[in-house]
Amino acid sequence: MSDAAAHKPNHPYHLVDPSPWPLVGSIAGGVFTIGMVFYMHGKAGFLVSVLPGIVLILLTMLGWWRDVVKEAEIDKAHSPVVQIGLRYGMALFIASEVMFFVAFFWAFFDASLFPKDAVGGVWPPQGVLVLDPLQIPLLNTLILLLSGCTVTWAHHALREGDRQNFIRGLALTILLGIIFTGFQAYEYAHAPFGFKDGIYSSTFYMATGFHGFHVLVGTLFLIVCLFRGFKGHFTPDHHFGFEAAAWYWHFVDVVWLFLFAWIYIWGSGPGPYYGA
């Protein structure tokens, strides 16, 4: 019996090799969080406080995703049983992300449904000039909804073995994600209030800012899938890497609908609107 045959597992499960990425990823998250705190309080510049955490996070993503791709494409470790486990894992991860945003919505509703005397007993607080939800926010809503259609188009094309339309749909989704991020950056640059200008601005930036971060991560996720698609990695019956990215992107879409409905429209009240 050859060495390869002797070491071949006689079960359908994947025993993961030791990996440094969970430890590196946790350190990266801690460095990024601490850096953001120093940066937002004006204690340090962006290059010193925030950039090291971003670099570590990108390094973790690059190394970890490379190892997972190797497991799937070279080691052939993602058997049908393993893929079921991956699906459960992704579903639980998205559930944890839902609760992450619930915390921000909770803070927003506590401040808006029961406005304190410090903000004049009204919401939006007295003197706050809010953004018009029917301008850039509405446009971004349409962009994200369209991106949900294009990623679904890509998924169906892949399941039908149509790689050309899979690439087209995926590329369009990435482009729409980049456009969304650009509009949100423009909105932040021209917003009439800053992060530290009170409870309204704090809850607004925390909720929409973390959603924007998730859009960036989802866009990177899809870019990796696009490169893998060009290399022919996905097949109609073996493409969980892309499927997980599509799930994540739909989650981002749904969260934005809640943000648009509650924070931009309902939470802004009757105005006055910035630029009106």
Side-chain angles (χ1 to χ4, degrees), residues 28-112:
V31 171
F32 177 75
T33 302
I34 294 172
M36 285 296 295
V37 171
F38 276 95
Y39 176 70
M40 288 188 290
H41 284 80
K43 303 296 184 181
F46 179 85
L47 293 178
V48 176
S49 59
V50 181
L51 188 60
I54 293 176
V55 172
L56 281 174
I57 290 173
L58 292 175
L59 176 65
T60 302
M61 294 168 68
L62 179 63
W64 207 337
W65 288 353
R66 179 203 61 194
D67 290 350
V68 173
V69 170
K70 176 180 177 293
E71 292 172 0
E73 299 298 327
I74 298 176
D75 300 340
K76 305 297 182 183
H78 292 176
S79 65
V81 172
V82 173
Q83 291 185 55
I84 292 174
L86 292 173
R87 283 180 169 82
Y88 278 122
M90 190 65 190
L92 290 172
F93 168 71
I94 291 176
S96 72
E97 291 282 89
V98 170
M99 298 310 298
F100 179 81
F101 279 97
V102 164
F104 295 127
F105 279 107
W106 189 297
F108 172 79
F109 283 125
D110 178 70
S112 60

Side-chain angles (χ1 to χ4, degrees), residues 105 108 141 255-268:
F105 279 107
F108 172 79
T141 301
V255 170
W256 177 259
L257 291 178
F258 282 98
L259 288 172
F260 178 66
W262 294 111
I263 292 183
Y264 279 102
I265 296 180
W266 180 83
S268 295

Side-chain angles (χ1 to χ4, degrees), residues 5 10 16 18 28 61 101 120 146 181 188 203 205 236 259:
N10 58 357
V16 181
M61 294 168 68
F101 279 97
L146 180 58
T181 302
Y188 280 7
T203 53
Y205 280 116
L259 288 172

Side-chain angles (χ1 to χ4, degrees), residues 203-222:
T203 53
F204 173 86
Y205 280 116
M206 288 298 289
T208 61
F210 269 106
H211 175 268
F213 175 75
H214 282 71
V215 171
L216 282 174
V217 172
T219 303
L220 289 174
F221 205 167
L222 293 173

Side-chain angles (χ1 to χ4, degrees), residues 54-212:
I54 293 176
V55 172
L56 281 174
I57 290 173
L58 292 175
L59 176 65
T60 302
M61 294 168 68
L62 179 63
W64 207 337
W65 288 353
R66 179 203 61 194
D67 290 350
V68 173
V69 170
K70 176 180 177 293
E71 292 172 0
E73 299 298 327
I74 298 176
D75 300 340
K76 305 297 182 183
H78 292 176
S79 65
V81 172
V82 173
Q83 291 185 55
I84 292 174
L86 292 173
R87 283 180 169 82
Y88 278 122
M90 190 65 190
L92 290 172
F93 168 71
I94 291 176
S96 72
E97 291 282 89
V98 170
M99 298 310 298
F100 179 81
F101 279 97
V102 164
F104 295 127
F105 279 107
W106 189 297
F108 172 79
F109 283 125
D110 178 70
S112 60
L113 291 174
F114 309 101
K116 308 300 189 291
D117 292 339
V119 297
V122 295
W123 193 266
Q126 293 179 351
V128 173
L129 195 63
V130 301
L131 297 168
D132 188 347
L134 299 182
Q135 293 185 5
I136 290 180
L138 176 60
L139 179 59
N140 264 351
T141 301
L142 298 175
I143 289 171
L144 268 191
L145 289 175
L146 180 58
S147 74
C149 296
T150 56
V151 77
T152 302
W153 170 33
H155 192 188
H156 280 278
L158 179 58
R159 294 181 63 180
E160 296 296 326
D162 185 354
R163 187 165 296 274
Q164 186 177 37
N165 279 319
F166 164 66
I167 296 295
R168 288 173 179 170
L170 187 52
L172 278 174
T173 306
I174 293 169
L175 178 61
L176 290 169
I178 294 172
I179 293 173
F180 174 91
T181 302
F183 274 121
Q184 189 164 23
Y186 178 86
E187 180 182 79
Y188 280 7
H190 294 81
F193 47 81
F195 181 79
K196 295 186 289 184
D197 289 347
I199 185 62
Y200 178 87
S201 59
S202 296
T203 53
F204 173 86
Y205 280 116
M206 288 298 289
T208 61
F210 269 106
H211 175 268

